[in-house]
Amino acid sequence: MLSQYFGTDMYWDSMFQSFQDQFENLDKHTQWGIDFLERYSKFVKERLEIEQTYAKQLRLSVEYPDLSFVFRFSSCVSFYSILNELNDYAGQREVVAEEMGHKVYGELMRYSQDLKSERKQHLQEGRKAQQYLDQCWKQMDNSKKKFERECKEAEKSQINYDRLDNDINATKSEVEKAKSQLYMRTHSADESKNEYAAQLQNFNGEQWKHFNVAIPQIFKNLQDMDERRTVKLGETYRSFADVERRVVPIISKCLEGMVTAAKAVDQRKDSAIVVESFKSGFEPPGDYPFEDYSQNLSRTGSDNTISTPKNEGGVKPDPKHSISKTAKNKLWLFGKKPKAPSLEDFSHLPPEQRRKRLQARIDELSKELQKEVDQRDALNKMKDVYEKNPQMGDPQSLQPKISETMCNMEKLRSEIHKNESWLSEVEGKVSSRGDRRPSADVNHHAPHGRESPEGSYTDVPNQEHRSPPHQPDPRQAHQPDEFDDEFDDDDPLPVIGHCKALYSFNGQNEGTLLMKENEVLYIIEEDKGDGWTRARKQSGEEGYVPTSYVEIAMEKNSKGAVTYI
């Protein structure tokens, strides 16, 4: 009789088990989707790190030593252009890495955190709905079991009452007691029935809401979340490609620049430069003359020796205004003559030359210091970017490079200060020496009070043969490399005066001029305060001679004559 009220528990168990399986499947699928998104984020991070490393290695390969000394060759100029294009190419790889970090990797990491929070919320809602339905099921099941017990007790009371009612030996009080018990049990069964019916109706309503409203909404939210994750992946795939595509035109221009630089290589031009650099200017030897022994003619000397370059028209050049280029630039087989080592403070040079060298070194050190300052500023900016965006890199990794740059800046400042102190010392000496040095016009014919090469004044008695003062130390006077550049001018300097050698000068160092006592020389450059005067011989040979070794006569007209007594 109870089959109309109760179904089997197997139905309910299978129904909840089926729902639980689907819910777990969605849980696993959404978790897999988030894991896949994070794996793709890791792939993007590795890719941008590869781009950063690649750009860094490209920039290191561009850092070649200074090639300015060979820039006259087209092949070297083209190679330098290729290095510049490669540097721009490396910059574009850095742009790719930076945009991947901001627009792809950073966006994916933020979106992954949002997905995790949203998924957690939906799953919690599903579990709460499942717990509430389980609670309703338990209340209904308890009501059903109570109704079942009450019905069984009512049946027992009915059987007991029927038995006593049919028993002739039963007393009236026993029958009445059994009847009262039956009535009570039947009433309890009716109440349990009503309670069970209410609980069952409530459970059915909540179950309908659970399976037709709550769970479908939760599943739809999970579906929307997963679809948005898929759409986001597609967008980042496209962004990943767009980052690369935006730099392709610039990279193509860099490659075109490399091709243009390659086409600019001109072998004829490079060969002409080599020929122009190493040509000697000597004419080939003339024909070997025929010597006729059949006649009684005195044998003349052979004319087959290598002659010096001939002047057109047979006119002898004026040594005052022209100099043989081969006399000025005697090329060695593999370039210029090796230069002798020089001191750090250039104390081996005359003051004027020393001042120029120190000033050039200070300018060079200042440029290097500015480069270090720019590098320090760039590193500090990069460190600030890393501190604001930790996913782009570790700020502490830049600290060693910043410290190294600061150390280099201190070294360069120290070097600049040291050279400036030397420069101020030289400028002080030059000015003081120029103040106490008598004019050339006063000392032209003065036999007394002549300045010696050491800068002091001595009273020399009038003698027929005067001994030269102490000769300057060649190591402190001129080094071969200090005057090479001054003799490389294509246009000869004009004569501005004459001088007469008071003493002999050996001129052993390259850049100086050998002279004998009483020899007359042309002056082409005055003493600049360093104690040396640039002169030219009758033969056209040029060089520096000590100012105190000569008696100078400046002339207003370079063609005028000067008489020496």
Side-chain angles (χ1 to χ4, degrees), residues 254-267:
C254 294
L255 297 177
E256 290 176 0
M258 294 181 185
V259 173
T260 303
K263 293 179 179 179
V265 176
D266 188 350
Q267 70 277 13

Side-chain angles (χ1 to χ4, degrees), residues 267-317:
Q267 70 277 13
R268 298 291 184 184
K269 180 180 178 181
D270 291 356
S271 298
I273 292 174
V274 175
V275 172
E276 183 65 24
S277 299
F278 294 103
K279 66 181 181 180
S280 64
F282 291 108
E283 294 183 0
D287 295 337
Y288 194 87
F290 175 76
E291 299 182 8
D292 190 0
Y293 294 98
S294 62
Q295 299 179 4
N296 294 327
L297 297 176
S298 60
R299 182 176 176 178
T300 60
S302 178
D303 295 334
N304 65 330
T305 56
I306 298 177
S307 60
T308 57
K310 299 178 180 179
N311 298 308
E312 295 182 2
V315 180
K316 183 177 179 180

